[in-house]
Amino acid sequence: MRIRLIASFLLTSGFALAADRDFNGRWDITAMTKPRPRAWWVELNGVGTQNAAGKFVSAYAGDMNTIDTISVDNGELRFTLIPPARQGKAPELKRIYRASMVNGKLEGTFETEGQKEPPLKWTGVRAPAIADKDDGTWKEGKPIDLFNGKDLAGWKGLVPGAEVKWSVVNGILKNAPPTTDIISERSFWNFKLHVDFRIVEHSNSGIGLRGRYEIQILDDFGKPPGTHGAAALYSRVAPAVNASKPAGEWQSYDIRLVGRQLTVVHNGTKVLDKVEVEGLTAIAENADEAEPGPFVVQGDHSNVEIKSFVVTPLVK
């Protein structure tokens, strides 16, 4: 009888461990925020063991955040993040995420410790494997001018109902921050993109690719390259060098995205060379990584000007 009980315990524990491990992997998350849904991303490893660890985009500061605690209790995943204290401000409260596996998807909630409002609901699907590679077999289609030099035709505000304080003056598209980001009405999959832009001192902007992956625009001339610096895949991959020009000068990005392989040429210098885009960045306005997506131009932080925005689709 004792042997049977031990065997039964081991079998039951094994099933529980396997179920816990089902939470591992990369997940694309849609959060039911207002006035529009937001896209998050989480990577979990070692769930079901004592070495559980994870990364999350984004609980705070638009960053790739390191998850502080991960556990599973009766089939429910729970992970928490505690934002670091900022000088002169009160400590932020713990952020708590819970999820259950339902038909291979995550059905979850988010709340800040001690909040009185109902938790925010979110859903997660496994991030897709994308087979396309930048292997020399992709051919250039017809270039498309997404900015016509006259008006905002083909673009709209990202935030529903928000005032769109963008204008075109002397053929240059510019914002008047704070304002909403703008998003292209057309969507693209694999492409080349050429952008000519100009910023002022202390500017902070960015370009969202497929509405999911941000290439940072920043006034950081002369500073070391970093994951938050100009031409970085924001909070994920730093450029090889900082090729920024001083604020006030026209600059260019030549960006190539095939599948998850990303190349960026900044002011004529290749700074990212077929780096792997592992997942969403904080600019993400949608979590549908297997589908074409729009471009986003960030305008909610500070000033940016654009005089060309030319997309060349890449096709087989």
Side-chain angles (χ1 to χ4, degrees), residues 53-305:
K55 297 179 288 187
F56 187 84
V57 175
S58 165
Y60 49 86
D63 283 346
M64 170 92 72
N65 307 131
T66 299
I67 296 174
D68 292 297
T69 67
I70 302 172
S71 61
V72 181
D73 185 19
N74 291 323
E76 182 183 69
L77 171 72
R78 182 181 187 271
F79 62 91
T80 66
L81 297 100
I82 304 174
R86 291 184 290 178
Q87 187 174 6
K89 295 190 176 182
E92 294 193 43
L93 298 175
K94 181 187 298 183
R95 304 183 182 200
I96 304 167
Y97 302 78
R98 294 183 174 90
S100 298
M101 191 79 69
V102 180
N103 296 324
K105 299 181 179 181
L106 298 182
E107 297 289 342
T109 62
F110 160 70
E111 59 187 313
T112 300
E113 189 173 43
Q115 77 176 42
K116 298 180 180 180
E117 301 81 7
L120 175 73
K121 293 183 178 181
W122 56 266
T123 60
V125 299
R126 290 199 179 275
I130 299 176
D132 293 351
K133 302 296 181 184
D134 195 359
D135 55 7
T137 63
W138 296 88
K139 299 179 180 180
E140 295 184 11
K142 183 179 179 181
I144 301 167
D145 286 314
L146 280 193
F147 171 50
N148 64 15
K150 299 176 182 179
D151 53 35
L152 283 168
W155 297 85
K156 60 184 179 181
L158 175 61
V159 179
E163 183 181 5
V164 181
K165 294 188 290 185
W166 290 77
S167 60
V168 179
V169 180
N170 296 325
I172 297 172
L173 174 66
K174 56 178 65 180
N175 65 332
T179 184
T180 178
D181 300 348
I182 54 173
I183 183 172
S184 67
E185 294 178 349
R186 297 184 62 169
S187 293
F188 299 86
W189 182 240
N190 296 330
F191 57 82
K192 287 174 50 179
L193 170 66
H194 176 83
V195 182
D196 290 309
F197 65 93
R198 184 168 61 183
I199 53 178
V200 300
E201 289 186 2
H202 311 301
S203 279
N204 180 346
S205 181
I207 298 171
L209 313 177
R210 298 187 192 141
R212 300 169 200 132
Y213 318 122
E214 180 183 351
I215 304 302
Q216 170 78 309
I217 292 175
L218 191 71
D219 173 30
D220 65 350
F221 173 72
K223 296 181 180 180
T227 57
H228 292 72
L233 175 60
Y234 188 75
S235 197
R236 286 187 176 273
V237 184
V241 298
N242 183 355
S244 292
K245 295 180 181 180
E249 296 187 22
W250 284 104
Q251 306 192 54
S252 66
Y253 281 158
D254 288 282
I255 299 169
R256 183 180 176 96
L257 181 62
V258 177
R260 291 189 179 275
Q261 291 186 319
L262 171 68
T263 298
V264 176
V265 176
H266 185 192
N267 295 327
T269 298
K270 185 179 289 186
V271 297
L272 296 178
D273 188 5
K274 295 183 182 178
V275 301
E276 190 76 7
V277 180
E278 294 184 345
L280 307 177
T281 70
I283 204 171
E285 61 84 36
N286 76 83
D288 302 323
E289 285 198 277
E291 299 296 327
F295 290 99
V296 178
V297 179
Q298 190 177 66
D300 60 344
H301 288 354
S302 48
N303 297 86
V304 63
E305 298 179 340

